[in-house]
Amino acid sequence: MYPNLLTTNQAVDPVFMFIFGACLVLLLGITATMLVFVFRYHRSRAPEPTSQSSGNIWLEITWIVLPSILVLAMFYYGWAGYLSLRNVPKNALPVTATARMWSWSFTYANGKTSSKLYVPVGKPILVNLVSLDVLHGFYLPAFRVKRDVVPGMKNHAWFVATKPGSYDLFCSQYCGVGHSAMITSVEALPEPQFAAWLAQSASMAEHPGKELLEKHGCLGCHSLDGSPKIGPTLKGIWGRKVTVMTGGVERSTIVDEPYLRKSLLEPNADVVKGFPPIMPPFGKVLKEDEINQIISFLRSNGVEQSPLDGKKLAREKGCLGCHSLDGSVGAGPTFKGLYNKQVTVMQNGTRLTVTADDAYLSESIRQPKAKIVEGFQPIMPPYPDLKDDEITALVEFIEAVK
Amino acid sequence: MSEQHHIISYGKLISVWLGLLFLTALTVWVSRLDIGVGHVWGSLAIASVKAGLVITFFMHMRYEGRLLRWLLFFALAVLAIFIGFTFFDVLYR
Amino acid sequence: MGSADQPETVASSFWNDTGRSGITSWIFSTDHKRIGLLYFYTVLSFFLIAVSLGVLLRIELMAPGRTIMGPQTYNAMFTVHGVVMIFLFIIPGFPGAFGNLIMPIQIGAQDVSFPRLNLFSWWLYIFGAAIIITSLFTGGGPPDTGWTFYVPFSERTTTNVSLAVFGVFVVGFSSILTGVNFVTTIHRLRAQGMTWGRLPLFVWSIYATAWVQILATPILGITLALIIAERLLGTGLFDPARGGDPLMYQHLFWIYSHPAVYIMILPAMGVISDVIPVFSRKPIFGYKMIAFSSLAIAAAGSLVWGHHMFTSGMSDTAILVFSFLTFVVAIPSAIKVFNWVSTLYRGSISLEAPMLFALSFLLLFSIGGLTGLILGAAATDIHVHDTQFVVGHFHYVIFGGAGFAFFSAMHYWLPKFYGRRYAEKPAVVAWALMFIGFNITYFSMMVLGMKGMPRRYYDYLPEFTALNLTSTIGSWILVSGLILMLVNLFRGLLKGEPVGDNPWGGATLEWSIPSPPPTENFVEEPVVTHGPYDFSGSGIP
Amino acid sequence: MSQPQHKDYAGAKLGMWLFLFTELFLFGGLFLLYATYLARYPQDFARAGKGMHIVFGTINTVILITSSLTAAMAVTAIQRNDRRRVLYLLGGTILCAAIFLFNKYLEWSSEIGRGIYPNSPRLAAGPPGESVFFSLYYLTVGLHGLHVLVGATLLSVVAWRVKKGIIHAGDYVLLENGSLYWHLVDIIWIFIFPLYYLLL
Ligand code: HEA
Ligand code: HEA
Ligand code: CUA
Ligand SMILES: [Cu+2]
């Protein structure tokens, strides 16, 4: 397909051959000479030394100059090969690899994410490396490619798979307990299959939350496009900082789930500054799951979303880097049979036993440091960008792992 | 004790001190000038002269044997290399 | 140690002719020989601890998945293994033990320049070691960062990194003081006639090492202090979120730690340069070149630290420079190897234990060094960096090189201080076991690395099973050899045949004084009239 | 023991110089970081440097230079066997050290009062280079302050020994080494001063 393309293997392997070859010759030469001398001049055969020579300037010059030339050649080939590793072909397909303790996720130009690196055969891939926490290493032994993934730094690597197949992808830079489990693979697919894979994304239905907004007339007072109406616009409301009047006192708060819920049920408890207290309470009108759907819609800022797959999420967010599904103990407790189990946890230095119900599980995900399961280290990172429905999906997924 | 010890007169020490004070004033004055990056090199140059004075007279280097001078030079050169070589990375990244 | 190990039959020697007795006559002694033995035994104890950890690491890796420990334990274990081996065994080992025991005698001095400082160094070492050991059992548990303490991980982990790092800091300070002491001693206390051209090569190598200790160790000190500051004060100097750069940590760390590998190997090369001529009864070939190449390695070796960072995202220019310089350092090592081999030519070679260890050093160090070339070349390092190949490389140079030289030195010099010697046959058997076991263990690791198995992996894919198992079995052979060697050596030192003043026929000064030496080393100040390898002048049969 | 306790004067001084090298390299690591971060954040460094108390810096420079003078004069004085004067001069050095540290204390309190200290919310909110600058500033100056403290203690011990007559015109290597150490502390400051107070 790209006959003239230099692959990373072609850049590196000859250098290996050359240096290994030279070293082997040297090593065998030195060993053989040594053994011959030891044998020939062993005290049993040579009771007295037959020479007291203490040097020979020409010999020494020879073995300064020759090795110098040799190592310079090694240096040169090594450097030349390295340059090809750095020269990214122009037509390379960009993919972003995100590393975190202890999992990989790959993002393609069209926004698709995956926990394995799918690539088309024969096309160079440019991997942009992003770390969310500590150092990791992006290592593809099959392609002789390695680059550290450094937080705050834009590193990249490129490679091309010439044959379809599955290749190991390791984390090479030590990054903590899950380091050796931070393994995934490169899946090289023939071009058409890859294109199909890339295009395939779950077809998205209209979000049920939006229908509810229409149905209950919310959109009469609130816009979805940022324009002001009687009430504040709902565009970008999630996470927004608002100033509200609570019982006549001014305070500022962040829009989150409890806030939205309260805004629907008792709209006049917190009134956004600059707006009249005229919104009716919806407590009698909306059912619990409808409220959840509305909140989930607002949370997604009106962007349509596919229903969440907890298992996929758990893999992508790296939960499975620490939590197993088969009962084995990793860096964190296993998810298997966790739901409704009695767990012993440490909270602020006191030991207590709790039931792993929905509330506990979502707290464990939101604030991992709040309750630490006995026998584990407080290393689970917080996930500030996990949205509520994602957490719900995760909890549901955990519930399902029996 | 076998070695000879040079005694530096108070007068000389005080003149070195005056020199150091003058250089301090100079470096503060230079820092007010508007010469851009020149400041870095200017103030470092003045600081080096000051350090040189301290080493030469206060620390008696002027009256020491060759060995110590060489060693000092060597140590400073190594430090300069440590810092300098790091710039092969920092400057070209 | 203590007076229990003291050979009973010796007359007046440094074992018994001091005023004090009991343990305080040791731990407060300023005699370089006693301090040397103190170092020797403490260093050896740490070696045995770390070696046991190494064996446990291998057992864990025997099969994929969990074998005997969990990942957190494994990570802590290789960290402690590395830290203890590097900072408590091999770096203080040569200068502290043999540098102290031998160097002053070889230059014809009664002691080092600052004997009290010397004792203080040992105490600092013990103090630092105690802190490191304490850090394993307190706080958040043993550190799990690897011996390199890379940020940002070392700043985030909840294990007891700060304390361990502080311990290493203290040990580093001890190493600095030893270096200062030795450079001064070699400049000031050489006996009459002991010109620079007549210094034994071991002294030359200790001299070069001492310079590295002086100039590189402070950088480690400040680097470790910065880790502590980052953890405790949150200075953010290496934290990208606050403008820091994690790579600057790596620069600082390797500015010390690459030269540090020469702290490990240079004295070892010195031992080899002393042992090979004696057992060949022939002057060393190219004395000047070997002496000079020690300095050259120390100097050029300070300029190559970047070769540990080829994949880190360092600039390509820096890779060019550091890769080039890495190859430059290989040249002085090559000179030494060729000169050692040439020394054998037309000699009269006797294969006793010290010589066997020395010759196997040649082989193992060459393998280790040549694999270093693979690592030094930019293209090939990319593939093998952070894999088992690197682990193989450095065990070849450190254990196969420095370690085997240490064993050679133990067999060669310890009889001098005990007046008794080990039995030859078991020593040879032990050597053979170790040599074979060593190659099985570490060669397998190099192959694993070529196939792509990363290092610091608690678990691995099934395709790596066979070689890992081989390596583990090799480590057991190695263990049996080591145990046999130590048992035989110490039995011999305590109960073995007495040796004369000069059992091997050496020409350096330590063989001209009684075994064990008297406290003041030389009854009258020696006047040196011939070179260190001039076997014709020393009246040997 | 037959070993005559003869003093190796040149050896002691060589040893001291070697030790000073190691101190230099200890600070060298911080200077290395300074240099590289200056290359990366020149603007931020300039802005941060403007916020420093140049008056404190200058006064402290003068104080340290003067303390160095008295330390150097103390060596001359002991060579001339003028022990009383040695004590006065060393006293002067130690006094300078105390004033220096006191000034430092005032300066730091004022900065901390303004919300400038490692990991402070103010620095966290500001540009990254500024946070790096001040972290380095606190570390370098803190380490230097520690050395001032150690140096002053050392010189006090020396002064005490001079008083006891252990150090005298015939054997004063301890005094000389103590003052060498003090000069090193001074030299380090001579570089810290322009780097943190005057640059850009
Ligand atoms: C005793 C310790 C020691 C010694 C002596 C050496 C010696 C050398 N080392 Fe090694 N090295 C380590 C200990 C040591 N190393 C350690 C501990 C690490 C890992 C650190 C970590 O990450 O944990 C490491 C890692 C390491 C790396 C980084 C690898 C990576 O992480 O990617 C590199 C890269 O260049 C390297 C290169 C070399 C070279 C070129 C030499 C040269 O000095 C070797 C010179 C010797 C020879 C060349 C052989 C003898 C000569 C001949 C047989 C004659 C013929 C030779 C020629 C013609 C050239 N070493
Ligand atoms: C002086 C240096 C030195 C020495 C001698 C050794 C010796 C050994 N090391 Fe080494 N090792 C390091 C320095 C050293 N190591 C360093 C610096 C690292 C890197 C750490 C890091 O990544 O941060 C490392 C990492 C390292 C790893 C890699 C871990 C990983 O990346 O996953 C492994 C794995 O096999 C290993 C194994 C061994 C073994 C089997 C030995 C064997 O040679 C041990 C041989 C054993 C014997 C000969 C047994 C003797 C036993 C006894 C005498 C029994 C007495 C015991 C009791 C009474 C309880 N070491
Ligand atoms: Cu991520 Cu190792
Ligand atoms: Cu190195």
Side-chain angles (χ1 to χ4, degrees), chain C residues 47-48 50-58 61 74 78-79 81-83 85-86 89-90 145-148 264 388 391 394-395 398-399 403 434 438 441-442 445 453-458 471 475 478-483 486:
Chain C
F47 173 66
L48 290 181
V51 126
S52 317
L53 296 181
V55 173
L56 291 177
L57 288 177
R58 279 294 1 138
L61 289 182
Y74 181 83
F78 73 67
T79 303
H81 168 76
V83 167
M85 280 295 189
I86 299 268
F89 167 56
I90 200 84
T145 57
W147 78 282
T148 47
M264 311 169 198
Q388 297 286 335
V391 180
F394 69 71
H395 281 96
I398 299 190
F399 195 9
M434 289 175 69
F438 181 91
T441 311
Y442 296 109
M445 288 197 202
M453 177 175 160
R455 66 191 282 203
R456 297 171 174 170
Y457 259 33
Y458 151 79
S471 173
S475 76
L478 189 51
V479 174
S480 48
L482 190 90
I483 295 176
L486 291 177

Side-chain angles (χ1 to χ4, degrees), chain C residues 148-194:
Chain C
T148 47
F149 301 114
Y150 268 16
V151 295
F153 184 74
S154 60
E155 291 172 9
R156 295 172 159 232
T157 171
T158 52
T159 55
N160 209 352
V161 171
S162 305
L163 197 63
V165 158
F166 179 66
V168 174
F169 180 92
V170 174
V171 172
F173 197 51
S174 150
S175 177
I176 289 177
L177 294 181
T178 304
V180 167
N181 212 338
F182 284 2
V183 170
T184 313
T185 307
I186 295 172
H187 271 283
R188 301 294 308 165
L189 297 187
R190 277 168 289 127
Q192 215 188 333
M194 180 56 83

Side-chain angles (χ1 to χ4, degrees), chain A residues 179-198:
Chain A
H179 168 56
S180 64
M182 199 167 154
I183 301 180
T184 179
S185 62
V186 170
E187 302 292 339
L189 306 175
E191 182 101 49
Q193 258 155 280
F194 173 76
W197 175 84
L198 192 64

Side-chain angles (χ1 to χ4, degrees), chain B residues 21-85:
Chain B
L21 289 185
F22 168 72
L23 287 170
T24 308
L26 183 72
T27 186
V28 174
W29 178 69
V30 166
S31 76
R32 307 262 134 155
L33 297 182
D34 192 16
I35 47 172
V37 280
H39 283 147
V40 181
W41 299 111
S43 32
L44 279 182
I46 297 177
S48 308
V49 175
K50 285 164 77 180
L53 279 176
V54 173
I55 292 173
T56 319
F57 295 102
F58 286 1
M59 298 173 93
H60 295 209
M61 190 47 97
R62 180 141 189 242
Y63 314 98
E64 298 291 354
R66 253 193 324 202
L67 176 69
L68 271 189
R69 283 192 221 179
W70 270 111
L71 295 188
L72 177 66
F73 171 76
F74 172 67
L76 291 177
V78 172
L79 183 59
I81 289 177
F82 282 173
I83 297 180
F85 273 38

Side-chain angles (χ1 to χ4, degrees), chain C residues 10 26 60 70 87 101 135 163 181 330 350 357 362-363 370 500 502:
Chain C
V10 288
W26 284 86
E60 170 55 42
F87 295 113
L101 282 171
S135 78
L163 197 63
N181 212 338
S350 133
F357 279 111
L362 272 186
L363 204 68
L370 293 169
N502 192 355

Side-chain angles (χ1 to χ4, degrees), chain C residues 254 257-259 261-262 301 304-308 326 393:
Chain C
W254 291 114
S257 294
H258 182 82
V261 308
Y262 296 113
V304 305
W305 71 83
H307 67 204
H308 296 270
T326 300
H393 157 70

